[in-house]
Amino acid sequence: MSITGNILRVNLSTKTTALERPGENFYRQYFGGRGLIIHYLLKELALGIDPLGPENKLIFAGGPLTGAPLPGTGRSSVGAKSPLTGAYGDSEAGGFWGAELNKAGFDAVIIEGKSDSPVYLWIKNGQAEIRDAGHIWGKKTAAAQDMIKEELGDNKIRIAQIGIAGENLVRYANIAHDLTHFAGRTGMGAVMGSKNLKAVAVRGTQKTALADPETVKELAQWMGQNVNKVSHLHDLGTACFVTMLNELGALPTRNFTSGTFDGAQQISGETIRDTIYVKSESCYSCPVRCKRVVKVLEPYNVDPVYGGPEYESIASLGSLLGIDNLAAVAKGNELCNSYGLDTISTGVSIAFAMECYEKGILTGEDTGGIELKFGNAEAMLEMIEQIAHRRDFGKILSEGVKRASEIIGRNSAEFAMHIKGQEIPMHEPRLKQGLGVGYMVSPTGADHCHNIHDTYFNVTADMIKPLGLLNPIPLQNIGEEKMRLLAYFGNWIHLGNCTLCCMFVPWSYRQVVQMVEAVTGWTTSLWELLKVGERAATLCRVFNIREGFTKNDDMIKSRWFEHSFAEGPLKGVKFSKEELEQARANYYRIMGWDEDGVPTQGKLMDLGIGWAEKYIGWRRG
Amino acid sequence: MSITGNILRVNLSTKTTALERPGENFYRQYFGGRGLIIHYLLKELALGIDPLGPENKLIFAGGPLTGAPLPGTGRSSVGAKSPLTGAYGDSEAGGFWGAELNKAGFDAVIIEGKSDSPVYLWIKNGQAEIRDAGHIWGKKTAAAQDMIKEELGDNKIRIAQIGIAGENLVRYANIAHDLTHFAGRTGMGAVMGSKNLKAVAVRGTQKTALADPETVKELAQWMGQNVNKVSHLHDLGTACFVTMLNELGALPTRNFTSGTFDGAQQISGETIRDTIYVKSESCYSCPVRCKRVVKVLEPYNVDPVYGGPEYESIASLGSLLGIDNLAAVAKGNELCNSYGLDTISTGVSIAFAMECYEKGILTGEDTGGIELKFGNAEAMLEMIEQIAHRRDFGKILSEGVKRASEIIGRNSAEFAMHIKGQEIPMHEPRLKQGLGVGYMVSPTGADHCHNIHDTYFNVTADMIKPLGLLNPIPLQNIGEEKMRLLAYFGNWIHLGNCTLCCMFVPWSYRQVVQMVEAVTGWTTSLWELLKVGERAATLCRVFNIREGFTKNDDMIKSRWFEHSFAEGPLKGVKFSKEELEQARANYYRIMGWDEDGVPTQGKLMDLGIGWAEKYIGWRRG
């Protein structure tokens, strides 16, 4: 199987490394990614630790398919207690780094403690070395990458690294993988920075073991031949969503006060294709090629080495800020990438400040004279600099909108768009209403990667019938059937977070079962796989319950249920709080959680994780 | 698909018939068999009706595979509120009748009301006719079958019928299908008798529709070629268990007071093979050929037209009564078959009386002079006559051991081996401990057909790994993992009760998914299928809860937890009541039921059966 059986443990305080081999049943229950990470975090982190203290652990993990030449399996995950939310945190990146780690002989790397000076980790074919990074600290990511490759004398090295945002402990700093793939959310870059760890450089030349290479090959060939029938991302990449969502009235605009943006066409995937597009790129073994590299000349000078903006970045640095200048948006994206900032949280933080500014809650006195109005592209670029360097007004925004609004006060909290402290991604809950509830209940706060995207299921139920959901469920609905979809399909998404299979490569349920079997040699089933996903989701829930999160934290911003858009297709659409509370209660029930959202003892038994009972038993009666 | 979409409704009071077509989604949620039957019973039966009154409904049902030329799919189910237990009742028969019903154009037949005189139902190719049965009433099953076939002028007719036991309302009367296949348990024959319905004769010449005939053929061929590798029943049939279980110390003997029987060899499958065996028979499209036809000459004259004794019959009329005379056991079996008596309940009832007799609770005064001692074969045969005719002492035993012990009094209840009023089958809970808990919680009382057989899982976990149960679970264990097995594999067994796929044809999980897809054209998964099983199990639970059953009814006889055998491999093995209560509590939890065993609202939502909430909501707080 592609699982190596080896987990590398690195203690940066003591500068020691160790090898663990938890055995086949461990992998079969927890797989990798989120499942593996939460297993270790829940068992090894003490209650209430500081996410930016040495007690936190940062875990990089692949999954059971990692390294196999199968489209969509190029992802890897990195998790820790989140400095943004105080809850369970993880994020995934596509690319090649995960496969390289597998070929270097490891399924996961657990990083503990804190180095007393900047270091990077060098992993090659079963060996690990902690090396000085003093000379690299403070460098932009591209420069840092060049220096590490040159120093180690191998241009094929894959590098996961933080930029200055992570070094400076910006709470939503990301981890860049080979400059263009990002583990963006939940502030994992800040955790890495807090450990004085600049980078994890990996090189592996071992062959990934496959139980049934012939079937793996057939599956890969099938996707290669059918990708354009089953994926719509080949043409424009994720940027295709700009036009699509704007037409549906759900393109987040001016800090979520509108769902339609006059300048949508100027920042659309079509415009990128026709103007600043350089080339398409892919992840490991993937024919979808959804990545777009862009280049812009004067005055913005966007360096193609940092790739190009995805949909989330275009919306959060564009429409959400009322900016229709594509070159500026591309520059903002490049800056975030080079500094290691999550574009979503960055954009939402600036949007928050802009709305506060326009409403008079902030003035030029607060912002150092910067006119933080919607549409001001130069202000956006300046704020990115300030946030990454944690200086001037940007220092406040570098804390994320939840903390920023607490610092600013003056009713600014109303405009701080987050759930559990994590800034909300570019998907509108008034359209994708199931996703809205998904935002509420996700263990990582507002998150679109551990969530359902209702638009998939609106037209036809074919995709969900094998789950036993037989009827099409309307997009704008949060009734019982939608909550069943959120639970069932949510578990499927969670499985993807454990196999690290990309949601943009639309493998069928059956194909994923076949992939797991062909790679690992296990005889499995969709039942077993969905339980893997549910197990991971439930353990994350346990982690957060233990940390003191309650159902009150599972609520969406009142802006979404109290207000509706003044115009566009979603005009007039809003929820009542009672509807949302009912939906939340139904989701809890279907997940086997009690009315306070605490997983029942029976659910833990059902999932074979009775060992987690001790962490939450005290929360029940 | 093999589903015809047609359900025939017959009202015997008004002598009318009607056709219903509930639509594809109905079938996909409830499948057939138990799922279909409980759906109708729960929605249509009023609370507290008399199982033997005209308000009860008797439902015959096939499943989505019925009629397809696939091994193991020859079964059909028949259900109603049980006159034996007062709870949900159903039982299955193998054979050919179900496939014939499909080819006649119907998935199920719902029989309502009560005829004022004996009738039988004649179904042929989409047409149904209620015909006089006055001349057939009172006949033995073979004679009745001949008369119906002759009268209708077609020797290929398939007949489900009751014998005089059903006519006389013996509470454990069965329904015979083509003389040698029996829906034995829960007294469905008495319900049929209470409606004055002697038989349902069926003839169909329509072709069963298959979505993917090629795959159906491949699967059937695979089982044909591999059956002897995956099934151990081909050689001796179910009678093979006599020797096997005796060696394990778990052959029910002398009313469950021992697990080893000195005369086991004389009544074993090997002895049958070497002495009274005539030929092997199979069910529709099945290569397993587990059925054994026997013939005995003077003095017992066992007619081979009634087939031969299965393991359950051999044990319940043999070792359980201390009888080692194989010819007499075969005769007892033939009498039960010709009179339409369930051999298990018959044997357990006689065993109860014998133990009472030996202990002095009963005397010759009670029994009309019959010496009801263990080992007395003639007494056994005489009691079968008396039970079927409901005369003399047999009239008391015809009520089943629960009611009989209430009539007899004098501490006899201790020896009445039943759960929820249904007599216990020939599987020893001190060996198969998971099955013991399965007896406790089965909706139909002590039942081995809706249960797990722990012996399967003792040696290797391979069979249960695709369910996510990764470790072998010891036979003699009722811990959390065993309860997970009972829940998961129990749902799989329940699925079999809905697809009507025989547990003796060991299709893999994957093959069953393939079979359902190839026959119906649906794209499904093991997840959807296990949820079908869970849905049926949960609805049966709802039915019983509504009828007033509580967790106190989910308990095994104290004989099994307080006492252990004095000898044999199971010497000293017993449970504490606390262990059993803990196991029961864990099973409830894992099933998503509350501490009183009431399915939670969340579980109903999870299964898409929120409509059932109104029947049990009042039971919660």
Side-chain angles (χ1 to χ4, degrees):
Chain A
M1 70 186 80
S2 89
I3 292 166
T4 66
N6 300 320
I7 293 180
L8 176 65
R9 199 181 279 269
V10 178
N11 189 310
L12 293 177
S13 299
T14 60
K15 302 281 192 295
T16 53
T17 65
L19 181 68
E20 289 177 21
R21 294 182 58 82
E24 181 170 345
N25 276 5
F26 168 83
Y27 288 99
R28 193 156 173 173
Q29 286 174 275
Y30 304 103
F31 268 42
R34 175 165 283 197
L36 184 150
I37 292 166
I38 184 59
H39 174 274
Y40 278 98
L41 293 184
L42 189 54
K43 288 196 168 178
E44 299 190 4
L45 294 193
L47 171 64
I49 60 150
D50 175 6
L52 297 178
E55 306 82 8
N56 203 357
K57 301 192 181 191
L58 184 71
I59 304 176
F60 291 85
L65 304 179
T66 303
L70 284 164
T73 66
R75 294 174 81 72
S76 64
S77 185
V78 53
K81 181 174 178 179
S82 166
L84 193 59
T85 66
Y88 172 80
D90 76 26
S91 193
E92 292 170 23
F96 302 83
W97 188 91
E100 197 76 18
L101 183 69
N102 178 274
K103 291 174 197 303
F106 299 106
D107 305 309
V109 184
I110 301 172
I111 293 164
E112 306 175 336
K114 177 183 178 174
S115 173
D116 49 11
S117 64
V119 292
Y120 71 94
L121 184 63
W122 166 224
I123 297 170
K124 182 176 181 184
N125 288 343
Q127 301 297 316
E129 185 187 351
I130 299 166
R131 294 175 62 98
D132 175 59
H135 52 302
I136 308 168
W137 203 252
K139 294 283 184 292
K140 286 192 175 185
T141 52
Q145 175 165 297
D146 289 345
M147 290 171 77
I148 292 171
K149 285 185 176 180
E150 193 178 340
E151 176 170 315
L152 297 174
D154 186 345
N155 198 39
K156 290 185 173 166
I157 289 168
R158 301 292 181 178
I159 296 172
Q161 64 165 316
I162 55 171
I164 61 165
E167 297 173 13
N168 293 332
L169 308 183
V170 174
R171 286 189 187 268
Y172 44 86
N174 70 21
I175 299 175
H177 293 62
D178 300 326
L179 302 187
T180 58
H181 308 270
F182 304 93
R185 314 289 345 254
T186 70
M188 294 300 102
V191 177
M192 195 158 159
S194 74
K195 299 190 173 306
N196 270 324
L197 180 65
K198 178 70 176 174
V200 182
V202 180
R203 184 75 178 102
T205 58
Q206 302 169 16
K207 206 168 149 64
T208 297
L210 303 174
D212 176 1
E214 198 52 45
T215 300
V216 170
K217 194 174 160 191
E218 281 168 23
L219 283 160
Q221 284 176 342
W222 184 93
M223 188 54 80
Q225 284 155 10
N226 292 279
V227 65
N228 291 325
K229 284 181 226 157
V230 292
S231 167
H232 301 293
L233 297 175
H234 193 68
D235 185 26
L236 298 176
T238 56
C240 71
F241 296 126
V242 174
T243 302
M244 184 195 303
L245 290 174
N246 192 56
E247 284 171 2
L248 291 168
L251 181 66
T253 300
R254 288 183 294 278
N255 202 32
F256 299 97
T257 57
S258 177
T260 50
F261 179 48
D262 286 345
Q265 193 256 319
Q266 288 95 303
I267 58 171
S268 67
E270 292 82 356
T271 301
I272 291 176
R273 178 193 61 201
D274 299 339
T275 59
I276 62 176
Y277 173 85
V278 175
K279 62 176 177 177
S280 298
E281 281 185 349
S282 80
C283 297
Y284 180 78
S285 282
C286 190
V288 175
R289 299 183 72 77
C290 70
K291 311 282 292 179
R292 261 88 197 120
V293 177
V294 304
K295 184 175 182 178
V296 175
L297 301 177
E298 293 291 343
Y300 290 112
N301 292 318
V302 176
D303 187 344
V305 74
Y306 292 108
E310 299 287 338
Y311 163 73
E312 299 291 334
S313 308
I314 297 168
S316 55
L317 300 175
S319 55
L320 196 74
L321 305 180
I323 294 171
D324 61 6
N325 181 335
L326 179 60
V329 171
K331 183 64 186 179
N333 178 68
E334 181 232 54
L335 286 177
C336 286
N337 293 357
S338 65
Y339 290 144
L341 279 175
D342 175 41
T343 54
I344 298 173
S345 288
T346 302
V348 173
S349 296
I350 299 171
F352 157 76
M354 285 181 168
E355 186 164 10
C356 288
Y357 190 92
E358 296 217 345
K359 290 202 156 62
I361 294 171
L362 291 173
T363 67
E365 243 172 80
D366 300 292
T367 66
I370 298 170
E371 205 177 7
L372 271 178
K373 284 190 170 172
F374 286 123
N376 186 345
E378 299 309 319
M380 176 264 286
L381 296 175
E382 172 59 21
M383 289 317 302
I384 291 174
E385 294 283 354
Q386 290 189 11
I387 290 167
H389 291 87
R390 284 189 87 201
R391 60 169 160 79
D392 304 326
F393 181 65
K395 187 169 181 182
I396 294 176
L397 296 186
S398 76
E399 297 289 315
V401 294
K402 178 167 179 282
R403 287 178 177 79
S405 71
E406 288 162 4
I407 295 166
I408 293 167
R410 293 170 257 172
N411 295 326
S412 64
E414 188 183 340
F415 313 112
M417 303 306 289
H418 72 89
I419 293 175
K420 295 187 181 68
Q422 168 141 280
E423 288 73 20
I424 290 166
M426 300 299 113
H427 303 269
E428 174 53 57
R430 276 161 291 204
L431 176 72
K432 305 179 180 183
Q433 298 192 351
L435 169 134
V437 183
Y439 279 166
M440 288 160 54
V441 299
S442 165
T444 51
D447 202 309
H448 65 295
C449 287
H450 315 299
N451 211 327
I452 61 169
H453 288 260
D454 311 36
T455 33
Y456 291 162
F457 313 110
N458 198 36
V459 181
T460 168
D462 282 352
M463 189 171 174
I464 53 176
K465 278 187 177 174
L467 298 179
L469 303 167
L470 303 180
N471 297 301
I473 305 166
L475 197 53
Q476 289 171 260
N477 177 290
I478 53 173
E480 266 183 49
E481 275 298 285
K482 181 61 77 70
M483 290 305 103
R484 238 177 123 203
L485 172 64
L486 181 61
Y488 283 24
F489 204 81
N491 289 339
W492 172 249
I493 295 289
H494 261 85
L495 171 72
N497 301 142
C498 298
T499 55
L500 294 169
C501 201
C502 182
M503 62 164 78
F504 290 160
V505 185
W507 292 111
S508 68
Y509 306 109
R510 171 153 330 161
Q511 286 170 324
V512 170
V513 172
Q514 288 175 327
M515 279 159 56
V516 172
E517 294 189 334
V519 174
T520 64
W522 300 332
T523 299
T524 186
S525 71
L526 185 60
W527 175 269
E528 185 181 9
L529 295 193
L530 285 174
K531 288 287 177 183
V532 169
E534 189 182 359
R535 186 175 296 120
T538 301
L539 287 173
C540 291
R541 184 81 189 173
V542 168
F543 185 96
N544 289 356
I545 296 285
R546 182 183 66 159
E547 291 288 333
F549 284 80
T550 72
K551 71 175 174 184
N552 296 328
D553 299 299
D554 292 347
M555 185 43 70
I556 209 164
K557 296 296 287 188
S558 63
R559 166 167 292 193
W560 276 320
F561 56 81
E562 288 174 354
H563 305 298
S564 61
F565 294 142
E567 55 189 6
L570 294 179
K571 182 178 172 182
V573 175
K574 57 182 175 179
F575 307 100
S576 74
K577 191 168 188 190
E578 290 65 36
E579 282 177 281
L580 286 170
E581 287 173 343
Q582 185 61 49
R584 184 181 66 189
N586 286 342
Y587 176 77
Y588 288 173
R589 287 184 180 116
I590 294 167
M591 288 296 284
W593 302 350
D594 72 15
E595 59 186 13
D596 294 317
V598 182
T600 61
Q601 207 179 351
K603 178 49 69 181
L604 300 183
M605 281 187 201
D606 170 33
L607 297 169
I609 47 175
W611 58 264
E613 168 68 11
K614 66 180 172 194
Y615 301 118
I616 52 167
W618 59 277
R619 284 295 303 273
R620 294 200 214 93
Chain B
M1 70 187 79
S2 87
I3 291 166
T4 66
N6 300 320
I7 292 179
L8 176 66
R9 197 181 280 268
V10 178
N11 189 309
L12 294 177
S13 299
T14 59
K15 303 281 193 293
T16 53
T17 65
L19 182 68
E20 289 177 22
R21 293 181 59 80
E24 181 171 343
N25 276 6
F26 167 82
Y27 287 100
R28 194 156 171 174
Q29 286 173 277
Y30 303 102
F31 268 43
R34 175 165 283 197
L36 184 149
I37 292 166
I38 184 59
H39 174 274
Y40 278 99
L41 293 184
L42 189 55
K43 287 196 168 177
E44 298 191 4
L45 294 193
L47 172 63
I49 61 150
D50 176 5
L52 296 178
E55 307 81 9
N56 203 358
K57 301 191 182 192
L58 185 71
I59 304 177
F60 290 86
L65 304 179
T66 304
L70 284 163
T73 67
R75 295 174 80 75
S76 63
S77 185
V78 53
K81 182 173 176 179
S82 166
L84 195 58
T85 66
Y88 172 80
D90 76 26
S91 193
E92 292 171 23
F96 302 83
W97 189 91
E100 197 76 19
L101 183 70
N102 178 274
K103 291 173 196 301
F106 298 106
D107 305 311
V109 184
I110 302 171
I111 293 163
E112 307 175 336
K114 175 184 179 171
S115 173
D116 48 12
S117 64
V119 292
Y120 72 94
L121 184 63
W122 166 224
I123 296 170
K124 184 176 180 184
N125 287 345
Q127 301 297 317
E129 184 188 351
I130 300 167
R131 294 175 62 98
D132 176 59
H135 53 303
I136 309 168
W137 204 252
K139 296 282 184 290
K140 286 192 175 184
T141 51
Q145 174 165 298
D146 289 344
M147 290 171 75
I148 292 171
K149 286 185 177 180
E150 193 178 342
E151 176 171 314
L152 298 173
D154 186 344
N155 199 40
K156 290 185 173 167
I157 290 168
R158 300 292 180 179
I159 296 172
Q161 64 166 315
I162 55 170
I164 61 166
E167 296 174 13
N168 293 334
L169 309 183
V170 173
R171 284 188 189 268
Y172 45 85
N174 71 21
I175 298 177
H177 293 62
D178 302 326
L179 302 186
T180 59
H181 307 271
F182 304 93
R185 315 290 344 255
T186 70
M188 294 300 102
V191 177
M192 195 158 159
S194 75
K195 298 190 174 305
N196 270 323
L197 180 66
K198 178 68 177 174
V200 181
V202 181
R203 184 75 177 100
T205 57
Q206 302 169 18
K207 208 169 146 65
T208 297
L210 303 174
D212 177 0
E214 198 51 45
T215 299
V216 170
K217 194 173 157 191
E218 280 169 23
L219 284 160
Q221 283 176 344
W222 184 92
M223 188 54 80
Q225 285 155 10
N226 291 279
V227 65
N228 291 325
K229 283 181 226 155
V230 292
S231 166
H232 301 294
L233 296 174
H234 193 67
D235 185 25
L236 297 176
T238 56
C240 72
F241 296 125
V242 174
T243 302
M244 185 195 302
L245 290 174
N246 191 57
E247 283 171 2
L248 292 168
L251 180 67
T253 300
R254 289 184 294 277
N255 203 31
F256 299 98
T257 57
S258 177
T260 49
F261 180 47
D262 285 345
Q265 193 257 320
Q266 288 95 303
I267 59 171
S268 68
E270 292 80 357
T271 301
I272 291 176
R273 180 192 60 200
D274 299 339
T275 59
I276 63 175
Y277 172 85
V278 175
K279 61 176 177 176
S280 298
E281 281 184 349
S282 79
C283 296
Y284 180 78
S285 282
C286 189
V288 175
R289 300 184 72 78
C290 69
K291 311 281 292 180
R292 259 90 197 119
V293 177
V294 303
K295 185 175 180 178
V296 175
L297 301 176
E298 292 291 346
Y300 289 113
N301 292 318
V302 176
D303 187 346
V305 74
Y306 293 108
E310 300 287 337
Y311 163 71
E312 299 291 333
S313 309
I314 297 169
S316 55
L317 300 175
S319 56
L320 195 76
L321 306 179
I323 294 172
D324 62 6
N325 181 337
L326 180 60
V329 171
K331 183 65 186 179
N333 180 66
E334 182 231 54
L335 285 178
C336 286
N337 292 359
S338 65
Y339 291 143
L341 279 175
D342 175 40
T343 53
I344 298 172
S345 287
T346 301
V348 174
S349 296
I350 298 172
F352 157 75
M354 285 181 168
E355 186 164 9
C356 287
Y357 189 92
E358 296 218 345
K359 289 200 156 63
I361 294 171
L362 291 174
T363 67
E365 243 170 83
D366 300 292
T367 66
I370 299 169
E371 205 176 7
L372 273 178
K373 284 190 171 172
F374 286 123
N376 185 345
E378 299 309 318
M380 176 263 287
L381 297 175
E382 172 58 21
M383 289 318 302
I384 292 175
E385 294 283 353
Q386 289 189 11
I387 290 167
H389 291 87
R390 284 189 88 201
R391 60 169 161 79
D392 304 327
F393 181 65
K395 188 168 181 183
I396 294 175
L397 295 187
S398 76
E399 298 289 315
V401 294
K402 178 168 180 280
R403 285 177 177 80
S405 71
E406 288 162 3
I407 295 167
I408 293 167
R410 290 171 261 171
N411 295 325
S412 63
E414 189 183 339
F415 313 112
M417 302 307 288
H418 71 91
I419 293 175
K420 295 189 181 69
Q422 169 140 280
E423 287 73 20
I424 290 166
M426 300 300 113
H427 303 270
E428 174 53 56
R430 276 162 289 204
L431 177 72
K432 304 179 180 184
Q433 298 192 351
L435 169 134
V437 183
Y439 279 166
M440 287 161 54
V441 299
S442 164
T444 51
D447 202 310
H448 65 294
C449 287
H450 315 298
N451 211 326
I452 61 170
H453 288 259
D454 312 35
T455 32
Y456 291 161
F457 312 110
N458 198 36
V459 180
T460 168
D462 282 353
M463 186 172 176
I464 52 176
K465 278 188 178 175
L467 298 180
L469 302 167
L470 303 180
N471 296 301
I473 306 166
L475 197 53
Q476 290 171 258
N477 177 290
I478 53 173
E480 266 183 50
E481 276 298 286
K482 181 60 79 65
M483 291 304 104
R484 239 177 123 201
L485 172 64
L486 181 61
Y488 283 25
F489 205 81
N491 290 337
W492 172 249
I493 295 288
H494 261 85
L495 171 71
N497 300 143
C498 299
T499 55
L500 293 168
C501 202
C502 183
M503 63 164 79
F504 289 160
V505 185
W507 293 110
S508 70
Y509 306 109
R510 170 153 328 159
Q511 286 170 323
V512 170
V513 172
Q514 288 175 327
M515 279 159 56
V516 171
E517 294 190 333
V519 175
T520 64
W522 301 332
T523 300
T524 185
S525 71
L526 185 62
W527 174 269
E528 185 181 8
L529 296 193
L530 285 174
K531 287 286 178 181
V532 169
E534 189 181 358
R535 186 176 295 121
T538 302
L539 287 173
C540 291
R541 185 80 188 173
V542 169
F543 185 95
N544 289 356
I545 296 285
R546 182 183 65 160
E547 291 288 333
F549 284 80
T550 71
K551 70 175 173 184
N552 296 329
D553 298 299
D554 293 348
M555 186 42 71
I556 208 164
K557 296 297 288 190
S558 64
R559 167 166 294 193
W560 276 318
F561 56 82
E562 288 175 354
H563 305 297
S564 62
F565 293 142
E567 56 190 4
L570 296 178
K571 183 179 172 179
V573 176
K574 57 183 175 177
F575 307 101
S576 73
K577 191 168 188 191
E578 290 65 38
E579 281 178 281
L580 287 169
E581 287 173 342
Q582 185 61 48
R584 183 179 68 188
N586 286 342
Y587 176 77
Y588 288 173
R589 287 184 180 115
I590 294 167
M591 288 296 283
W593 301 350
D594 71 16
E595 60 187 12
D596 294 317
V598 183
T600 61
Q601 207 179 352
K603 180 46 70 180
L604 300 183
M605 282 186 199
D606 170 32
L607 298 169
I609 47 174
W611 59 263
E613 168 68 12
K614 66 180 173 194
Y615 300 118
I616 52 166
W618 59 275
R619 285 295 303 272
R620 295 201 212 91

